[in-house]
Amino acid sequence: MIAGVAVLGLTAVLGGCGVTGGSDEVTLRLVAADYGDSAANSSQKYWDRLVKAYEAEHPGVQIDVTVYSWNDVDAKVKEMVDAGNAPDMAQIGAYADYAAKDLLYPADDLLSIPVQADFLLQLAEAGQVSGEQYGIPFASSTRLLFYNKSLFAKAGITPPTTWKELAADAGALKAQGVKYPYALPLGPEEAQAETMQWLLSGGGGYTDTDLGTYSIDSPDNVATFSWLKDNLVGKGLTGPVAPGELNRADAFSAFAAGDVGMLNGHPSLMRMAERKGVKFGMVPMPGVQGPTKMSMGVADWMMAFKQNGHAEQVGEFLDFVYDKENVLDFSREYDLLPVTTSASEVMTAAKEDADLRPFLEELPGSELYPVGRTSWAAVSADIKKRIGGTVAAGGSPSVTLGELQSTATRAESAE
């Protein structure tokens, strides 16, 4: 998930599906994730505005949208599908399991050619299973290294470009009494993201792109986590909470409170820090010899279930959802990166979006999770559970990464 934050006080009620008032009248159900951080900016409000505009132009179609927090939305959709009551559309974190069960429409059956052609290439490709696109990218993000300018100035240091410099900066911050010199959130909330960013910075990753297989216990990955264990965690440079128990949301809150020197963050952290008056800078993630060339990208997905039919109406609505102005409105509302070329070009050039430009520049060269594999859900869950042990006292990066590789191999065999 890009922004896993819950919203309070949602009162939307799931509506019916199918024919509602006459042979030409259709109600489409959409279940969507909430990107807001309060009731004031709930995604329900975004969808309500969008639906009102759409229905005014399409009197025969009603769109019934239910928004759930990121903590619940994937499970809610699974419950509906398992009960034989799939929504017409779902905007959630993963699509591959449903595609593998032949429950989804291919994008070719839904979207107009101009809309399909507008998606950023690496996002469209990440939505494919066996060469067919089922996952329609909805929102995206990348990661940069955030640093607290005031704490850096006090310690007399500059933003790091290599691992060695990062460790030296963290040591200088610790000497100044900074609570979290480098915040390393390997807790169960989003450990797979922090893990992937470090693996990429060490020249590795979750998969071998040449062989098309998982490579979690590769020599590069073992070396990366051995370095983290020995040079950051083992020297007390990651703060008072063990990395395996530190969640991303707590790390972000600590940064906004001025207690963190450095951490990996996505665009929503900018607003959190600004609201608290924290002066921050952003640079590419340091690598072994210099800035990381390959950043981590994240995408959330729209999908359409075949159970209720209505492919034509669903496609027309999604064409509207992905209109350039609507994509821009959503991206700006929630500090996310657009998934279409047309909206990306506008945001790259617009002064009002200048703070997102560094993230936009990272996106074309980013690597996404292997979301097209149905095995990824099980592998990601195991990473969240185990990865903190690689850097714990007495932990072994080679052993833990080997166990994760075994999980991945079994999950792949079960596909």
Side-chain angles (χ1 to χ4, degrees):
M1 64 186 176
I2 290 177
V5 286
V7 64
L8 302 177
L10 291 181
T11 57
V13 179
L14 193 65
C17 66
V19 177
T20 58
S23 59
D24 295 325
E25 295 184 6
V26 172
T27 295
L28 303 177
R29 289 186 301 153
L30 166 63
V31 176
D34 192 8
Y35 292 84
D37 57 10
S38 70
N41 71 340
S42 163
S43 293
Q44 187 73 54
K45 293 187 175 183
Y46 169 81
W47 285 111
D48 287 348
R49 293 194 304 269
L50 191 75
V51 165
K52 183 178 180 180
Y54 183 78
E55 290 178 347
E57 298 177 6
H58 300 79
V61 179
Q62 292 184 325
I63 313 294
D64 192 348
V65 183
T66 307
V67 170
Y68 292 102
S69 79
W70 272 110
N71 294 330
D72 302 321
V73 68
D74 289 273
K76 290 290 187 181
V77 172
K78 185 177 186 302
E79 289 173 8
M80 295 174 196
V81 173
D82 290 347
N85 187 32
D88 295 281
M89 295 164 283
Q91 186 272 297
I92 52 178
Y95 67 87
D97 282 353
Y98 299 123
K101 296 174 182 176
D102 195 29
L103 299 178
L104 303 179
Y105 284 113
D108 284 345
D109 291 354
L110 302 168
L111 303 173
S112 66
I113 292 175
V115 169
Q116 281 189 269
D118 199 25
F119 289 120
L120 294 169
L121 181 59
Q122 81 269 35
L123 299 181
E125 290 179 344
Q128 295 179 358
V129 174
S130 301
E132 184 85 66
Q133 185 180 355
Y134 295 93
I136 304 170
F138 181 74
S140 64
S141 181
T142 55
R143 299 291 197 269
L144 292 170
L145 183 74
F146 282 67
Y147 65 96
N148 184 309
K149 287 185 174 182
S150 300
L151 297 179
F152 266 59
K154 184 177 180 181
I157 54 178
T158 57
T161 60
T162 65
W163 286 1
K164 183 177 180 180
E165 291 174 1
L166 187 150
D169 284 351
L173 291 164
K174 182 181 180 181
Q176 291 292 324
V178 175
K179 191 174 182 180
Y180 294 89
Y182 178 86
L184 183 66
L186 296 178
E189 180 193 2
E190 204 187 27
Q192 82 283 3
E194 183 73 13
T195 297
M196 184 171 175
Q197 188 65 66
W198 276 99
L199 296 183
L200 292 172
S201 74
Y206 286 131
T207 59
D208 185 313
T209 53
D210 293 329
L211 299 177
T213 58
Y214 283 104
S215 57
I216 298 174
D217 62 347
S218 70
D220 282 340
N221 292 346
V222 171
T224 294
F225 270 85
S226 296
W227 187 90
L228 278 172
K229 184 176 188 293
D230 296 340
N231 294 278
L232 289 185
V233 182
K235 294 182 179 179
L237 300 179
T238 54
V241 179
E245 298 174 6
L246 181 65
N247 282 325
R248 177 194 53 78
D250 295 329
F252 278 22
S253 295
F255 185 84
D259 293 332
V260 175
M262 297 174 280
L263 85 169
N264 282 316
H266 52 62
S268 68
L269 183 56
M270 295 189 298
R271 299 290 173 259
M272 291 180 64
E274 287 168 354
R275 285 197 295 264
K276 296 289 187 176
V278 173
K279 296 180 180 179
F280 63 90
M282 302 177 297
V283 294
M285 177 68 180
V288 178
Q289 301 295 335
T292 302
K293 292 182 173 60
M294 181 70 74
S295 177
M296 184 188 74
V298 180
D300 296 331
W301 304 96
M302 179 72 76
M303 62 211 69
F305 289 89
K306 296 193 293 186
Q307 178 180 330
N308 304 316
H310 308 318
E312 181 180 352
Q313 293 90 343
V314 169
E316 289 176 353
F317 175 65
L318 291 180
D319 276 356
F320 182 78
V321 168
Y322 287 100
D323 175 80
K324 180 176 68 176
E325 293 304 319
N326 292 331
V327 173
L328 286 170
D329 286 346
F330 180 85
S331 301
R332 286 166 170 163
E333 175 71 24
Y334 298 106
D335 293 319
L336 294 168
L337 306 185
V339 297
T340 62
T341 300
S342 59
S344 294
E345 290 174 347
V346 171
M347 292 185 74
T348 299
K351 290 183 179 180
E352 65 182 287
D353 301 310
D355 54 352
L356 286 174
R357 196 167 297 144
F359 295 96
L360 287 163
E361 291 171 351
E362 289 284 306
L363 188 58
S366 65
E367 182 172 320
L368 279 72
Y369 300 133
V371 290
R373 299 170 181 261
T374 57
S375 58
W376 173 242
V379 173
S380 177
D382 205 33
I383 290 169
K384 293 178 182 180
K385 180 180 178 181
R386 295 174 181 264
I387 198 66
T390 59
V391 295
S396 168
S398 61
V399 170
T400 301
L401 293 177
E403 292 170 346
L404 290 168
Q405 179 65 31
S406 296
T407 295
T409 301
R410 290 193 299 271
E412 282 280 273
S413 299
E415 287 191 5

